[in-house]
């Protein structure tokens, strides 16, 4: 919010936060929060998030702020929080240190020109500049190389490897700084220096490089800061003072050339740190900051997830446990102070005497008083310091992750020992994005165990990150950010473009964004509803790390919602207004299709429940969708339609069974689908007739989730339906797109298949849209075409062939000959492959069977052509 409001002030009023002062700026941020802060809550409500909204809170409210101050004080008293002068990621535009998570890295392979905020011309990166330092005592020169030549102004040493013979004569000697005459010691450091890389000599700038900082500590070097907070060369830069850092880069290079010290500039691969918020190049800079000691807390958090004997925390998916280990095994102390104005003010006060200089503020560590409030700080200071002094609170604020890390505790009333804390801490599950596993999750665990005495939750489910359909990270500057409300409600292209103008993008970014919107959403976004968006997002979770969200897929699920609505409405018409569901059913007396749909419903319930319990949400969604679409809609509803076409008394028993089965399917199926599509399932479930034997729940939301009913499972029926569906599918393929009812013949090679097909002849006729079906044995021979009719054939499996009667079509002899040649050649190739050496050993059984079936099918087609002489249909 800090950055958003600051950009807003600049774009609208051409002023900065410094122009209006801290209090006025904070007031502006609060106003923005009150106006826009509820956006995400509106999105959650429209998406159907089932939350206890009475517990809504904000990390900056009074209770959470009090918890933050308490945590700071307690950690400081325990020796886990301290102040130190170290290298930080400094943003010269935001004028603050930023956390590692706010740094995006660009991999640069060679000389590259990039736009940098505040610079009119592009800045050159990916170049390694070599230059020489002249040595004292007429020892010649020593050549070093750097990608940041401007930092020469802060060099305080040159390091070589102690075993590098090239520089052994220079050990303990000094080079002369070419711009200020400072004596630069030649030091030996085997940790940093690789003799085989470059010249084997490394310039050391302890105040502006993390590795050099460590060298400076090891060798007690001088730390010289050469940059102002705004990124300009300060008074240490001599003739370059006042220059912006990247202009100084060019000026220093030219000055080295004039002095004859410049050697060369070559392409160099590098990683460039960019602030994710301001897009400025991050500058490593030494700054006094507040730190949390993380080694002990990190070890606790690590063991909580990986200690096999005392594991308290499960990370899902498991693959992220390795990342958890990698971070926590190499954890460094956490810099928690930020030089911003919006946030929790650091609860620490500095003791200032009248004789102190302004630039000395905060320098002496023993002058800092950590307390919950100024009154407590004054009481502490009065007992430690004499004379007249003032207390000035640290102007910095705390890293937002610090207050966020306390959330599992503070939301339940900590530091007070509340009833909520006793009842709900630790909580059961945290669900969040995998990108903040370390920055938020690990810190919640560390502070939760340290301040709360236990892990804050026992499971962590990490969802994928949503990107656009092209796999790009969503960014306002690219115009590819998708508001879920726009998907739910629908929006025209003009509406999407209007939102760009309401943001803080500059004119160039708006133009780029508009082009992106025109390309991806030329007609805007169709109204899809929350159910379709939810189902699409859940289905995508199989990707684990990222979701490339294609709105067309959401539109597809919107259409499926319509189909769901239609099939339930049609089913209700079958049930009728007077239908009363039974209290119990006996599937054993039900028709075949009714027994089958209940059995496969059991399997769908089992798969869905097991998948949800193991957090395989995509598998759960797939199981529910497949049952509704491919089993209930495509098969069962079609199979029972003959029972209700007319009022034939011979179907009286079947009608009642089908109605009872249909009601069971709708009731269980809607409850099974409800977590994925809460709105449409609630609406449809409310329309279902209710049983008179028990009180109906007021909402599907509070109904029991479906569970397996053992007596519904029937493997024999499922096996027979699998065979039935295979025959139906073969016949439908032969019919192609025709809806004309035709007769068909099934030829069986086994008596067991013949019996099954005969017993389910009605279902095959109905589902394959046949006028009649004849079931024959192989001994009965093949069907004979007539003058007006012929047959097309397909192989169902090695024991079953199907023939579909089709109108006779004339074909010329040339067409017949070409098709015969093509099929014969295809059969010969397949036969040779099947009979080739090692085929059975190298090919799995499923592929072997498929190839065998294909060979039989080709044999049948060739036989039909030879016998009938007319493109499979006879002459």
């Amino acid at each position: 919010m800090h950055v958003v409001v600051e950009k807003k002030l600049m774009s609208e009023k051409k002023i900065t936060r410094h122009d209006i002062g801290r209090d006025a700026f904070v007031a502006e941020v609060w106003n923005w929060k009150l106006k826009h802060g509820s956006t995400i809550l509106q999105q959650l409500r429209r998406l159907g998030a089932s939350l206890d909204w009475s517990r809504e809170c904000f990390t900056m409210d009074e209770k959470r702020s009090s918890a933050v101050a308490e945590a700071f004080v307690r950690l400081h008293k325990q020796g886990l929080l301290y102040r130190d002068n170290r290298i930080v990621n400094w943003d010269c535009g935001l004028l603050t240190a930023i956390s590692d998570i706010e740094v995006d890295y660009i991999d640069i392979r060679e000389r590259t020109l990039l736009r940098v905020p505040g610079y009119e011309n592009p800045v050159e990166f990916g170049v390694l500049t070599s230059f020489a330092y002249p040595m004292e005592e007429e020892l010649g020169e020593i050549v070093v190389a750097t990608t940041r030549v401007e930092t020469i102004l802060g060099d305080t040493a040159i390091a070589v490897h102690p075993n590098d013979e090239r520089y052994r004569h220079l050990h303990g000697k000094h080079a002369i700084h070419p711009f200020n005459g400072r004596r630069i010691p030649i030091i030996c450091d085997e940790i940093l220096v690789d003799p085989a890389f470059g010249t084997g000599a490394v310039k050391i700038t302890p105040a502006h490089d993390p590795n050099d900082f460590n060298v400076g500590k090891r060798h007690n070097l001088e730390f010289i800061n050469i940059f102002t907070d705004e990124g300009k060369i300060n008074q240490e830069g001599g003739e370059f003072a006042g220059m912006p850092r990247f202009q100084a880069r060019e000026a220093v290079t030219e000055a080295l050339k004039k002095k004859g010290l410049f050697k060369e500039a070559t392409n160099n691969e590098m990683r460039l740190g960019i602030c994710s918020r301001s897009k400025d190049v991050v500058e490593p800079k030494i700054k006094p900051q507040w730190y949390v000691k993380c080694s002990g807390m990190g070890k606790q958090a690590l063991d909580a997830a990986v200690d096999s004997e005392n594991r308290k925390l499960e990370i899902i998916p498991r693959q992220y446990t390795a990342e958890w280990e990698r971070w926590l095994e190499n954890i460094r102390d956490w810099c928690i102070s930020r030089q911003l104005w919006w946030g929790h003010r650091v609860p620490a006060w500095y003791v200032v005497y009248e004789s102190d200089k302004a630039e000395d503020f905060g320098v002496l560590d023993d002058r800092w008083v950590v307390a919950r409030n100024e009154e407590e700080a004054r009481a502490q200071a009065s007992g430690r310091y004499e004379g007249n002094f003032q207390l000035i609170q640290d102007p910095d604020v705390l890293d937002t992750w610090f207050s966020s890390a306390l959330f599992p505790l503070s939301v339940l009333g900590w530091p007070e020992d509340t009833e909520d804390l006793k009842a709900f801490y630790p909580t059961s599950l945290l669900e969040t994005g995998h990108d903040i596993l370390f920055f938020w999750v690990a810190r919640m665990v560390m502070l939760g165990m340290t301040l709360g005495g236990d892990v804050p939750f026992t499971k962590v489910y990490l969802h994928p990150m949503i990107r656009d359909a092209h796999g790009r990270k969503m960014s306002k500057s690219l115009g590819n950010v998708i508001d879920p409300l726009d998907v739910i409600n629908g929006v025209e292209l003009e509406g999407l473009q209007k939102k760009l103008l309401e943001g803080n993008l500059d004119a160039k970014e708006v133009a780029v964004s508009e082009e992106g919107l025109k390309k991806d959403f030329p007609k805007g976004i169709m109204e899809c509803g929350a159910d379709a968006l939810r189902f699409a997002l859940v289905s995508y979770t199989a990707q684990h790390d990222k979701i490339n969200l294609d709105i067309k897929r959401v539109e597809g699920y919107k259409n499926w919602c319509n189909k769901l609505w239609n099939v339930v409405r049609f089913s209700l018409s079958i049930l009728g207004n007077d239908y009363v569901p039974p209290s119990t059913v006996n599937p054993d007396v039900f028709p075949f299709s009714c027994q089958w749909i209940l059995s496969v419903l059991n399997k769908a319930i089992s798969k869905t429940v097991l998948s949800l319990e193991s957090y395989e949400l995509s598998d759960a969604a797939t199981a529910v969708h497949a049952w509704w679409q491919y089993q209930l809609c495509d098969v069962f509803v079609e199979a029972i339609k003959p029972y209700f076409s007319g009022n034939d008394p011979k179907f009286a028993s079947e009608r009642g069974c089908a109605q009872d089965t249909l009601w069971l399917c709708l009731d269980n199926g809607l409850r099974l689908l409800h977590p994925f599509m809460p709105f449409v399932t609630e609406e449809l479930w409310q329309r279902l007739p209710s049983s008179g034997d028990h009180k109906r729940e007021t909402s599907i939301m509070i109904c029991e989730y479906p569970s397996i009913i053992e007596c519904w499972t029937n493997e024999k029926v499922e096996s027979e339906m699998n065979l039935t569906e295979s025959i139906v599918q073969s016949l439908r393929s032969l019919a192609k797109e025709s809806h004309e009812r035709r007769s068909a013949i099934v030829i069986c090679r086994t008596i067991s298949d013949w019996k099954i097909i005969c017993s389910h002849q009605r279902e095959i006729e109905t589902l394959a849209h046949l006028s009649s079906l004849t079931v024959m044995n192989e001994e009965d021979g093949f069907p004979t075409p007539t003058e007006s009719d012929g047959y097309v054939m397909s192989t169902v499996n090695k024991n079953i062939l199907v023939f579909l009667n089709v109108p006779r079509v004339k074909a010329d002899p040339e067409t017949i000959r070409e098709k015969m040649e093509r099929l014969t050649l295809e059969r010969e190739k397949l036969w040779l492959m099947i009979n080739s050496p090692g085929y059975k050993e190298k090919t799995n059984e499923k592929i072997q069977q498929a190839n065998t079936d294909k060979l039989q099918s080709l044999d049948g087609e060739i036989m039909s052509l030879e016998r009938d002489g007319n493109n499979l249909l006879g002459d």
Side-chain angles (χ1 to χ4, degrees):
M1 282 191 283
H2 186 288
V3 177
V4 171
V5 174
E6 192 157 24
K7 289 184 72 174
K8 185 172 179 288
L9 287 173
M10 179 53 67
S11 63
E12 294 180 359
K13 301 179 181 179
K14 305 302 179 186
I15 58 175
T16 69
R17 58 182 160 121
H18 300 283
D19 294 326
I20 63 174
R22 185 171 193 140
D23 291 342
F25 177 78
V26 171
E28 288 279 348
V29 181
W30 272 112
N31 289 336
W32 188 94
K33 189 268 177 189
L34 293 173
K35 183 178 180 181
H36 301 285
S38 61
T39 299
I40 191 170
L41 300 179
Q42 293 171 5
Q43 293 170 341
L44 287 171
R45 282 183 164 91
R46 289 297 307 278
L47 279 165
S50 180
L51 307 173
D52 183 353
W53 296 102
S54 67
R55 294 179 180 273
E56 178 190 331
C57 60
F58 179 46
T59 52
M60 288 288 288
D61 65 28
E62 186 177 347
K63 287 186 177 180
R64 261 47 64 179
S65 297
S66 176
V68 168
E70 181 67 29
F72 192 97
V73 171
R74 289 193 187 187
L75 292 172
H76 186 263
K77 285 183 177 179
Q78 294 175 36
L80 296 174
L81 195 149
Y82 63 94
R83 187 172 172 84
D84 197 7
N85 205 26
R86 297 185 180 182
I87 293 283
V88 297
N89 298 314
W90 186 259
D91 188 305
C92 299
L94 298 178
L95 300 181
T96 182
I98 60 175
S99 64
D100 292 340
I101 193 174
E102 294 170 301
V103 180
D104 295 331
Y105 288 96
I106 299 175
D107 289 320
I108 296 176
R109 298 188 178 279
E110 58 186 3
R111 180 182 181 274
T112 304
L113 294 175
L114 297 176
R115 290 281 179 186
V116 177
Y119 290 82
E120 183 177 347
N121 298 319
V123 177
E124 184 180 72
F125 297 96
V127 174
L128 187 69
T129 300
S130 299
F131 66 91
Y133 263 110
M135 294 296 301
E136 281 186 339
E137 303 175 14
E138 298 183 352
L139 291 174
E141 62 183 22
I142 185 168
V143 178
V144 295
T146 180
T147 58
R148 301 162 65 215
V149 70
E150 68 277 10
T151 60
I152 184 178
L153 303 173
D155 286 356
T156 58
I158 297 171
V160 298
H161 196 279
N163 298 328
D164 192 338
E165 292 297 331
R166 292 173 296 175
Y167 301 115
R168 188 174 295 277
H169 67 292
L170 298 182
H171 293 182
K173 303 297 184 180
H174 290 79
I176 302 299
H177 198 290
F179 298 124
N180 54 37
R182 189 166 57 239
R183 298 177 74 233
I184 306 294
I186 310 299
I187 62 172
C188 295
D189 194 287
E190 60 184 4
I191 298 175
L192 175 72
V193 181
D194 177 3
F197 181 79
T199 64
V202 181
K203 64 185 285 296
I204 305 299
T205 318
H208 295 288
D209 182 276
N211 294 321
D212 293 1
F213 176 86
N214 294 328
V215 174
K217 289 290 186 182
R218 286 197 295 271
H219 297 273
N220 197 28
L221 299 177
E222 186 179 4
F223 289 73
I224 300 176
N225 173 32
I226 62 168
F227 293 123
T228 66
D229 288 349
E230 293 79 9
K232 295 182 178 181
I233 305 298
N234 62 19
Q235 69 278 3
E236 296 287 347
E239 63 189 276
F240 306 101
M243 290 185 183
R245 52 186 170 151
F246 296 124
Q247 288 183 16
R249 175 176 296 183
E250 297 176 359
V252 167
T253 302
E254 288 302 313
L256 288 170
K257 289 179 179 179
K258 288 180 180 179
K259 291 178 178 289
L261 299 175
F262 177 86
K263 297 300 181 181
E264 64 176 345
T266 58
N267 287 336
N268 182 71
E269 290 189 18
M270 62 179 294
R271 295 188 77 206
L272 186 67
I274 304 292
C275 175
S276 61
R277 294 186 291 169
S278 69
K279 308 305 177 186
D280 200 359
V281 176
V282 172
E283 188 65 52
K285 193 172 188 291
I286 196 166
K287 275 278 187 179
Q289 304 285 316
W290 293 96
Y291 290 87
V292 173
K293 288 183 180 178
C294 292
S295 55
M297 288 192 289
K299 180 65 165 60
Q300 276 189 310
L302 175 63
D303 292 344
V306 302
D307 188 334
S308 57
E309 294 182 3
N310 302 299
R311 184 180 292 118
K312 294 183 174 184
L313 182 66
E314 180 184 2
I315 299 174
I316 305 164
R318 291 182 181 177
Q319 68 202 54
Y320 291 108
T321 303
E323 185 175 338
W324 183 267
E325 290 186 71
R326 179 174 62 85
W327 274 105
L328 291 176
E329 284 177 346
N330 301 285
I331 193 170
R332 295 181 296 177
D333 287 356
W334 174 16
C335 173
I336 61 170
S337 48
R338 300 289 179 267
Q339 290 65 55
L340 300 173
W341 290 351
W342 170 254
H344 294 99
R345 190 88 171 261
V346 173
W349 285 259
Y350 193 72
V351 175
V352 179
Y353 289 96
E354 213 174 293
S355 57
D356 292 338
K357 297 179 181 178
E359 60 266 25
D360 293 332
F361 175 82
V363 172
L364 301 175
D365 288 342
D366 62 353
R367 292 267 199 97
W368 284 101
V369 178
V370 172
R372 295 168 182 83
N373 51 56
E374 186 172 356
E375 183 181 357
E376 186 178 300
R378 190 164 296 282
Q380 285 188 39
S382 296
R384 289 164 50 186
Y385 302 97
E386 297 180 353
N388 295 322
F389 59 81
Q390 284 184 302
L391 289 181
I392 299 180
Q393 187 174 2
D394 193 327
D396 292 353
V397 297
L398 293 170
D399 179 11
T400 186
W401 296 111
F402 186 80
S403 57
S404 300
L406 297 170
F407 202 69
L409 289 165
S410 63
V411 75
L412 296 175
W414 185 91
E416 296 179 22
D417 191 20
T418 63
E419 291 302 317
D420 277 355
L421 197 62
K422 294 175 184 176
F424 300 120
Y425 190 89
T427 58
S428 57
L429 173 72
L430 169 76
E431 182 263 343
T432 189
H434 67 80
D435 59 323
I436 51 176
L437 175 62
F438 175 73
F439 301 102
W440 189 34
V441 182
R443 286 164 175 172
M444 280 192 283
V445 174
M446 289 193 296
L447 292 188
M449 296 183 77
T450 301
L451 299 173
D454 203 348
V455 291
F457 26 73
T458 55
K459 290 184 179 180
V460 177
Y461 174 71
L462 301 169
H463 63 240
M465 303 307 299
I466 300 178
R467 295 174 176 260
D468 70 8
H470 311 290
R472 300 174 303 176
K473 185 177 180 180
M474 288 194 181
S475 164
K476 290 181 179 179
S477 61
L478 291 175
N480 64 344
V481 176
I482 299 174
D483 184 340
L485 296 182
D486 288 338
V487 182
I488 293 171
N489 301 326
V491 63
E492 300 290 337
L493 175 60
E494 291 76 14
L496 292 170
Q497 293 174 332
K498 183 180 178 181
K499 286 190 174 183
L500 295 176
L501 301 177
E502 294 172 354
N504 288 321
L505 301 181
D506 59 35
K508 291 181 180 179
E509 289 175 322
V510 169
V512 172
S513 300
E514 286 183 336
E515 284 303 311
L517 289 174
K518 287 179 184 177
K519 184 177 180 181
D520 289 341
F521 309 112
K523 297 181 180 179
I525 298 175
M526 176 194 296
E527 179 184 359
C528 295
D531 288 319
L533 178 56
R534 286 171 63 107
F535 204 87
L537 292 175
V538 171
S539 299
Y540 269 121
T541 55
Q543 298 179 10
H544 287 312
D545 61 337
K546 62 183 179 181
I547 291 174
N548 295 344
L549 182 61
D550 188 346
I551 298 300
K552 292 188 181 299
R553 183 165 176 176
V554 185
E555 292 173 358
Y557 285 121
K558 179 239 176 132
N559 296 333
W560 189 70
C561 284
N562 291 339
K563 180 164 187 174
L564 179 73
W565 180 273
N566 291 332
V567 75
V568 174
R569 293 296 300 275
F570 173 75
S571 300
L572 290 174
S573 71
I574 289 178
L575 295 178
N577 296 329
D578 300 328
Y579 175 76
V580 178
S583 55
T584 59
V585 295
N586 179 12
D588 294 337
V589 300
F590 281 4
F592 166 69
S593 57
C594 295
Q595 293 184 38
W596 169 76
I597 193 63
L598 291 179
S599 186
V600 293
L601 173 58
N602 250 359
K603 284 193 171 175
I605 291 171
S606 175
K607 175 63 176 176
T608 303
V609 170
L610 289 174
S611 297
L612 289 174
E613 289 176 345
S614 60
Y615 297 91
E616 298 291 344
L617 305 186
S618 179
D619 290 349
T622 299
V624 180
H625 179 268
W627 179 82
W628 270 99
Q629 178 71 47
Y630 306 117
Q631 295 176 328
L632 183 73
C633 296
D634 291 355
V635 179
F636 178 69
V637 171
E638 296 299 321
I640 65 173
K641 280 182 178 179
Y643 302 154
F644 300 94
S645 58
N647 199 21
D648 194 331
K650 71 178 181 180
F651 289 139
S653 174
E654 284 88 345
R655 275 196 291 271
C657 293
Q659 285 178 316
D660 291 343
T661 305
L662 188 56
W663 182 86
L664 289 169
C665 287
L666 296 180
D667 179 58
N668 282 274
L670 289 172
R671 286 188 284 128
L672 196 65
L673 182 59
H674 179 68
F676 307 95
M677 292 183 164
F679 296 105
V680 69
T681 52
E682 180 74 70
E683 178 67 27
L684 292 172
W685 185 83
Q686 292 290 351
R687 296 165 185 252
L688 294 185
S690 58
S691 173
D693 292 347
H694 62 276
K695 183 180 178 181
R696 179 185 175 98
E697 298 288 0
T698 57
S699 168
I700 190 175
M701 184 184 294
I702 55 177
C703 289
E704 287 187 12
Y705 203 60
S707 58
I708 293 174
I709 298 176
E710 294 296 339
C711 67
W712 289 2
T713 299
N714 192 325
E715 296 292 343
K716 177 176 178 292
V717 165
E718 288 190 47
S719 176
E720 291 180 7
M721 181 57 90
N722 287 340
L723 178 60
T724 300
E725 286 191 272
S726 297
I727 294 170
V728 169
Q729 184 59 47
S730 294
L731 288 168
R732 283 180 172 175
S733 296
L734 292 175
K736 304 189 184 306
E737 299 299 321
S738 174
H739 295 290
E740 180 185 350
R741 288 187 178 274
R742 300 171 181 172
S743 63
I745 296 172
V746 178
I747 295 181
C748 305
R749 292 189 174 128
T750 66
I751 189 65
S752 59
D753 287 338
W754 182 84
K755 288 181 178 179
I756 292 171
I757 296 168
C758 284
S759 65
H760 305 315
Q761 186 169 337
R762 182 194 302 156
E763 283 82 4
I764 295 173
E765 288 176 347
T766 300
L767 296 172
H769 203 67
L770 303 176
S771 59
S772 66
L773 178 69
T774 303
V775 187
M776 302 168 59
N777 288 320
E778 191 174 27
E779 292 77 15
D780 296 330
F782 290 90
T784 303
T786 67
E787 271 191 36
S788 60
D789 295 320
Y791 289 93
V792 286
M793 187 204 77
S794 178
T795 301
V796 178
N797 58 41
K798 63 182 180 180
N799 295 320
I800 299 175
L801 298 175
V802 294
F803 295 82
L804 182 68
N805 181 266
V806 295
R808 196 173 170 81
V809 178
K810 292 292 183 179
D812 64 86
E814 183 63 22
T815 301
I816 297 171
R817 185 186 64 77
E818 288 178 358
K819 185 148 192 173
M820 280 285 292
E821 289 179 355
R822 180 175 59 78
L823 291 176
T824 302
L825 181 61
E826 186 178 349
R827 184 197 179 282
E828 287 178 359
K829 288 182 178 179
L830 186 59
W831 187 91
L832 288 171
M833 183 180 71
I834 291 174
N835 291 280
S836 63
Y839 169 77
K840 291 186 177 180
E841 292 78 11
K842 298 177 182 178
T843 312
N844 67 49
E845 292 182 3
K846 286 187 177 180
I847 295 178
Q848 288 185 44
Q849 185 60 53
N851 288 335
T852 301
D853 292 345
K854 177 65 174 175
L855 187 65
Q856 291 175 342
S857 179
L858 289 169
D859 285 339
E861 290 184 72
I862 292 170
M863 285 172 53
S864 184
L865 275 175
E866 290 174 341
R867 184 175 60 250
D868 299 332
N870 185 21
N871 192 25
L872 303 178
L873 304 175
D875 185 5

